[in-house]
Amino acid sequence: GDVGLWLRTPGDAPDAVIERCAAVLARARTRGLPVVLGAAAADLEAAADAVARHALAGVVLRGDPDATALRDARARLGPDAWIGRSIHGPAVDHDVCAFSVLAPIFAPHTAKPSPSVALGLAALTRVAAAPGARVVALGGIDAESAVACVAAGAWGLAGIRSFFGDVRRIAEDVAALRGALPTAKHGPTSP
């Protein structure tokens, strides 16, 4: 499918994320959505155990992990797991992960403990142009900016605020994000 779920609660250990997001995980399962777990590279063993225990699709390592951490994740989780990473600027070694989540593209709509500086579409274009890059854009993306992110080279789109609040608004936001992806230069393989 073209929609997946990334369970993340920054700063929490993998089991705490699973516990906090249990109801969301249960709903994702009833809808057949693939689920990845956000975790720090230092928590890889616990994350891999949680992925196996809960039959998750894989992990997204946070904090701009290096190639060694990504290779360790691949070795621990196996060849079929989704291995992603969060990045906050230029990155290399795109060949060692399935995708990179670049953030924040725009000023985030969700509250942060410290201010985030928006990277902008030019940064997204530069990162997405790297050989082998599959970049998922995150941060302040909404119905109006989704198409611009795809035009800048985003392989996928992610949101946080888009999935909380009034159910009608969520449906509109998700439809807008999904609707932007068919315009991607790279074809229908985007998530």
Side-chain angles (χ1 to χ4, degrees):
D2 57 352
V3 174
L5 183 65
W6 172 16
L7 299 180
R8 68 187 278 270
T9 56
D12 283 351
D15 285 334
V17 175
I18 296 292
E19 185 177 320
R20 178 178 278 189
C21 299
V24 174
L25 178 57
R27 288 189 63 143
R29 288 189 191 289
T30 65
R31 288 163 175 74
L33 297 177
V35 178
V36 293
L37 176 64
D43 291 334
L44 177 59
E45 287 304 312
D49 290 344
V51 166
R53 229 178 17 260
H54 298 282
L56 305 179
V59 297
V60 176
L61 296 180
R62 63 180 178 249
D64 299 277
D66 62 18
T68 300
L70 295 166
R71 286 186 186 99
D72 289 349
R74 173 62 60 216
R76 179 64 173 82
L77 292 166
D80 296 327
W82 297 7
I83 307 297
R85 65 177 170 180
S86 291
I87 58 174
H88 302 88
V92 295
D93 300 318
H94 291 285
D95 60 319
V96 296
C97 60
F99 59 91
S100 298
V101 181
L102 179 64
I105 304 303
F106 304 107
H109 297 297
T110 53
K112 298 268 186 194
S114 59
S116 296
V117 176
L119 298 170
L121 290 171
L124 173 57
T125 300
R126 282 190 301 278
V127 173
R134 288 170 301 280
V135 179
V136 176
L138 172 67
I141 299 169
D142 54 27
E144 292 77 38
S145 62
V147 172
C149 288
V150 171
W155 176 76
L157 302 167
I160 298 171
R161 183 216 31 95
S162 298
F163 297 94
F164 294 96
D166 177 71
V167 173
R168 285 181 302 220
R169 177 60 194 246
I170 293 169
E172 290 170 9
D173 288 346
V174 173
L177 296 178
R178 289 178 74 188
L181 290 173
T183 66
K185 298 175 256 182
H186 37 66
T189 59
S190 292

